[in-house]
Amino acid sequence: MNGRLRVNLGKRAGVTSGLLGVLCVLAEFCFLFPDLLVTREALPFYKANLDVFRGILWTSICATFALGAASLVLLRSKTHGLLGIALGAVALQMRFTDSVESGPATVSAGLDYFVLELLVLGLLFIPLERLFALRQQRIFRRGWQTDLIHFFVSHAGVQLLSFAVLIPAHAFFSWAVKYDFQQAVASQPVWLQFIEILLAADLVTYWVHRAFHQVPWLWNFHAIHHSSTAMDWLAGSRIHIVDALVTRSAAFIPIFVLGFSQAALVAYVAFVSFHAVYIHSNTRWRFPALRWLIATPEYHHWHHTSDEEGIDKNFAAFLPLWDRLFGTAHLPGHWPRKYGTVKFQPPESWLGQLVYPFRPRKATPYG
Ligand SMILES: [Zn+2]
Ligand SMILES: [Zn+2]
């Protein structure tokens, strides 16, 4: 093996071992303090499948050790590998607890959600973005740490966030809820309800999204999402909390008023969680037959471009139909050249991005 390849492989193994080790330690904390750290609604599911989750954790700890050891062998510098192995050892030392019981806490952190999502999405998208890369870029590209913090905050705070999202609909649209109508909606086939949710939620969020672009003080919040200059599966997590709250609350209003069945809602949430990650990914599939039907990475990459031709285009999250109808669709035969905001960049740090919209400064249309 040549020297450069050896160093590259060694570094990758070491960093992956370290990150996996951190996830293992966090997962162990979830086992130790379920009341505090685990999403309450998910606790019965974890309890019923405890062996499966312990199996996943055990496999991850083994992988942490194996990758750490590989890094020790391949690299002259032992820091990466030793750190991974140390984290694996900490995870191993933390005792498993048999009592994954729900306790008195009413709000708990969704640390479980963060660990599992990061593991599943990472295992899926990191190889996918290597094998079918649109652009050659590093996994740990510029800004990945900030995006990981965004990912952590939105996942660990999932319970608070989902609760807050329900408030505006309940507060302002209860008058529009008609029981008989809702019964009729919920009795339709699930696939039909799923399509209806997509249509309704996407129509509302199309206009909210467009407002975020065109109203200068709103743009200050949304500019955070557009500040990534590299697109990949993690880049989509970069969203200001106010942006996420307003957009999701708006999407929930038609869902609340129309009253879809639980099954259709679960299908919608599962689809959205995956789709939102996928359309930001650094993958090159173009789906010629579907590209005008459902938003693809190509479609959403054009929304993120700083190329003149793509500015303020493709606001729809799922259905290009809305952009075509309202004159904002843009899907030429090529990919955009570059991404990011046009005039100036919001700060790179998570905290800087959090306070960015509140800082007094002259607003400009594109940040
Ligand atoms: Zn946007
Ligand atoms: Zn986006």
Side-chain angles (χ1 to χ4, degrees):
M1 196 187 300
N2 76 41
R4 200 162 159 193
L5 182 65
R6 200 184 162 94
V7 170
N8 270 341
L9 282 177
K11 270 190 185 160
R12 273 181 208 173
V15 172
T16 313
S17 167
L19 283 177
L20 207 55
V22 170
L23 286 186
C24 290
V25 171
L26 292 179
E28 289 287 12
F29 273 116
C30 288
F31 276 98
L32 283 170
F33 306 106
D35 295 343
L36 214 59
L37 301 175
V38 173
T39 321
R40 281 184 77 74
E41 291 77 11
L43 264 178
F45 177 72
Y46 292 135
K47 276 200 279 184
N49 299 286
L50 210 52
D51 290 342
V52 175
F53 288 101
R54 284 193 170 156
I56 296 172
L57 182 52
W58 178 243
T59 313
S60 306
I61 291 177
C62 292
T64 305
F65 279 122
L67 288 163
S71 173
L72 284 185
V73 172
L74 291 167
L75 278 187
R76 194 172 299 160
S77 153
K78 307 296 177 202
T79 324
H80 293 80
L82 283 177
L83 194 66
I85 289 175
L87 284 163
V90 170
L92 204 61
Q93 281 299 312
M94 294 168 75
R95 275 185 310 116
F96 283 6
T97 169
D98 281 326
S99 56
V100 185
E101 296 288 347
S102 44
T106 48
V107 174
S108 52
L111 191 61
D112 54 322
Y113 187 42
F114 167 75
V115 171
L116 287 172
E117 279 264 294
L118 195 61
L119 193 67
V120 170
L121 293 174
L123 284 177
L124 180 66
F125 279 102
I126 292 173
L128 215 61
E129 291 187 343
R130 304 312 287 176
L131 293 170
F132 306 100
L134 169 65
R135 293 165 214 282
Q136 294 306 322
Q137 65 188 31
R138 290 181 302 158
I139 298 172
F140 300 105
R141 41 85 189 158
R142 187 167 168 239
W144 73 270
Q145 299 97 326
T146 303
D147 293 354
L148 189 62
I149 300 175
H150 279 287
F151 189 92
F152 175 78
V153 171
S154 60
H155 284 78
V158 67
Q159 206 183 353
L160 279 176
L161 200 66
S162 350
F163 180 69
V165 158
L166 310 180
I167 296 172
H170 282 272
F172 302 112
F173 290 91
S174 291
W175 57 270
V177 173
K178 301 282 177 280
Y179 182 73
D180 291 347
F181 179 72
Q182 290 203 333
Q183 287 293 97
V185 170
S187 60
Q188 301 172 100
V190 171
W191 64 266
L192 187 59
Q193 293 183 58
F194 175 77
I195 295 172
E196 289 166 355
I197 299 180
L198 279 192
L199 278 163
D202 207 31
L203 174 61
V204 174
T205 50
Y206 170 91
W207 286 106
V208 172
H209 190 180
R210 200 163 160 173
F212 265 109
H213 275 251
Q214 288 171 347
V215 178
W217 67 272
L218 283 177
W219 169 253
N220 290 334
F221 290 99
H222 191 57
I224 306 302
H225 183 59
H226 282 266
S227 66
S228 274
T229 49
M231 295 289 276
D232 65 11
W233 65 281
L234 199 56
S237 309
R238 183 181 287 216
I239 299 179
H240 195 281
I241 191 87
V242 171
D243 185 351
L245 268 176
V246 171
T247 307
R248 288 184 208 173
S249 303
F252 181 66
I253 291 168
I255 295 172
F256 171 74
V257 172
L258 297 172
F260 295 98
S261 69
Q262 192 69 24
L265 272 178
V266 169
Y268 166 74
V269 171
F271 170 76
V272 170
S273 323
F274 173 79
H275 181 259
V277 177
Y278 178 59
I279 55 174
H280 293 92
S281 70
N282 177 34
T283 49
R284 58 171 181 259
W285 295 325
R286 305 181 77 167
F287 304 98
L290 288 176
R291 63 208 285 266
W292 281 112
L293 195 66
I294 186 100
T296 58
E298 185 186 10
Y299 195 80
H300 197 62
H301 278 223
W302 272 110
H303 179 67
H304 275 266
T305 190
S306 52
D307 295 353
E308 182 66 34
E309 60 175 306
I311 302 284
D312 283 351
K313 297 284 193 286
N314 300 3
F315 294 111
F318 315 119
L319 306 169
L321 165 77
W322 298 127
D323 281 297
R324 293 194 88 166
L325 212 58
F326 302 125
T328 47
H330 186 73
L331 198 56
H334 55 278
W335 289 84
R337 283 184 302 119
K338 53 189 192 310
Y339 307 106
T341 43
V342 173
K343 285 187 180 148
F344 57 84
Q345 281 281 100
E348 270 298 317
S349 71
W350 179 81
L351 200 62
Q353 294 184 354
L354 186 71
V355 298
Y356 173 79
F358 303 105
R359 287 167 59 180
R361 126 184 69 82
K362 262 174 53 191
T364 52
Y366 301 122

